[in-house]
Amino acid sequence: MGRSRRTLPEELLLLALDPTTGTTAQPQSLDLGLAGAQLVELALAGRIAPDGDRIAVVVPRPTGDPTLDCALELLRRRGAPVRAVNWIGGPRLGLRQTYLSHLERCGMVHAVAGQMCGVLPTTRYQATDNAISREIRARLDSAIRTGVPPDPRTAALAALAHAVGLGKHLYPGNEGRSSRSRLRDLIRHDPMGGLVAHAVMDVQNGVAAQPRRSPAPAGRQAAPGGRAAAEPARGVPVQPRRGSMARVVAH
C-alpha cells in the first residue's frame, strides 16, 4: 500500500498523544488498540477478513508497510483463522514504541529527552504539525455531531478510540458525556472495527481465551476431555471476568 494515507495505528497513536505533555493517554491499553488497528488496516487493504470471531488471511501479498507486513506474515504462519481476542491478547509490548519511532522517522513527531524525578531518563514525543491531529479529530467530531454514518476508516478509528478508553481524553468532563456516548455508538458502523474493538475490551476485562463447554447431554457418555462421545458439546457464551493487565510504562 502506498504512503499517501496514514494508517489506522498511526492515527490512533496521534489521537492518544497529548500535545501539551508529549505523553500518550491510556498507555496500558494502547498497545492492544494498536494491534487491533493493524488488523483493521489489513482488512481495509483486502489482506484479511473476519470469519465469525476469527481473522482469516485472504490475500497474503505484502502491503509495502513493514510493520503491517510483519503482522500479516505472523497471521499467515498460523495456517488457520485466529480468534481476534487471542491475537490481540498476545505479546504486544513495544508496539507503541515501534509506532512512535516510525512517526518520528516520518517527521510527524519529534522526540524530547528529559528526566523523571531528576534521575530517570524519559522521552516525550511532540507532534511536529498539530494540524494532522486536528484533522483526525475533526473526522471523529463530524461523525459524532452530524449523525451521518462515517466511512469505514473513521468508524473503525472511533471504535478503537472507545475500546482503549480515549473517550475521556478526547471529550473530558460532564460536558463531554454525550460525545463519549456517541463515540461508543459509532462502533456499529464497521463490522471489522466492531469485532476488533470488542476483542480489545474483552482482553482488558480478562475474558477467557477459550469458550467454555456445555455439559454433555443426558444419556450420552462423556468422552475424555469432557465432550460427549456422539457429538461435541456446543460452546456457551463466556461471561466477562475481571482481571488486571500488566502495566506498560508510559513514554
Side-chain angles (χ1 to χ4, degrees):
M1 73 194 322
R3 296 299 301 155
S4 59
R5 185 200 300 263
R6 292 179 299 274
T7 65
L8 272 173
E10 295 166 7
E11 293 196 327
L12 183 65
L13 186 51
L14 287 170
L15 270 183
L17 195 62
D18 190 304
T20 303
T21 65
T23 59
T24 52
Q26 301 299 118
Q28 297 93 337
S29 55
L30 191 54
D31 277 353
L32 300 176
L34 291 172
Q38 286 185 318
L39 293 180
V40 180
E41 189 64 49
L42 287 170
L44 290 171
R47 301 312 195 266
I48 65 175
D51 181 7
D53 68 343
R54 298 174 183 269
I55 305 298
V57 175
V58 292
V59 177
R61 186 177 69 252
T63 66
D65 181 300
T67 310
L68 289 175
D69 288 341
C70 179
L72 179 62
E73 176 62 15
L74 290 174
L75 285 166
R76 187 193 65 80
R77 289 179 184 176
R78 295 290 184 95
V82 182
R83 290 186 73 212
V85 69
N86 288 350
W87 173 261
I88 291 171
R92 292 290 178 270
L93 294 178
L95 192 57
R96 179 162 38 101
Q97 183 57 52
T98 296
Y99 272 104
L100 282 169
S101 298
H102 170 73
L103 290 177
E104 184 180 18
R105 289 193 300 271
C106 292
M108 284 190 269
V109 302
H110 67 275
V112 180
Q115 288 184 330
M116 181 183 296
C117 301
V119 179
L120 299 176
T122 62
T123 303
R124 297 179 295 110
Y125 291 86
Q126 299 286 351
T128 56
D129 185 359
N130 287 327
I132 297 175
S133 297
R134 287 195 297 268
E135 181 271 327
I136 299 170
R137 172 70 178 271
R139 282 164 42 210
L140 289 185
D141 291 345
S142 177
I144 286 173
R145 291 171 181 166
T146 64
V148 176
D151 62 275
R153 180 174 294 274
T154 300
L157 181 62
L160 289 163
H162 167 70
V164 302
L166 287 183
K168 290 184 178 180
H169 168 70
L170 298 171
Y171 307 104
N174 288 333
E175 64 276 14
R177 183 177 300 173
S178 61
S179 292
R180 293 195 299 271
S181 177
R182 287 193 289 270
L183 180 71
R184 179 193 63 222
D185 292 342
L186 290 175
I187 201 171
R188 71 182 187 274
H189 289 293
D190 180 60
M192 185 65 178
L195 168 65
V196 169
H198 280 112
V200 169
M201 291 184 284
D202 282 347
V203 173
Q204 293 181 85
N205 290 332
V207 172
Q210 297 296 330
R212 298 174 183 173
R213 297 286 181 179
S214 60
R220 296 184 185 273
Q221 182 179 0
R227 293 184 179 180
E231 65 179 18
R234 295 181 182 273
V236 298
V238 178
Q239 297 298 321
R241 175 167 52 83
R242 295 289 179 185
S244 60
M245 295 175 54
R247 290 183 173 271
V248 182
V249 177
H251 293 282

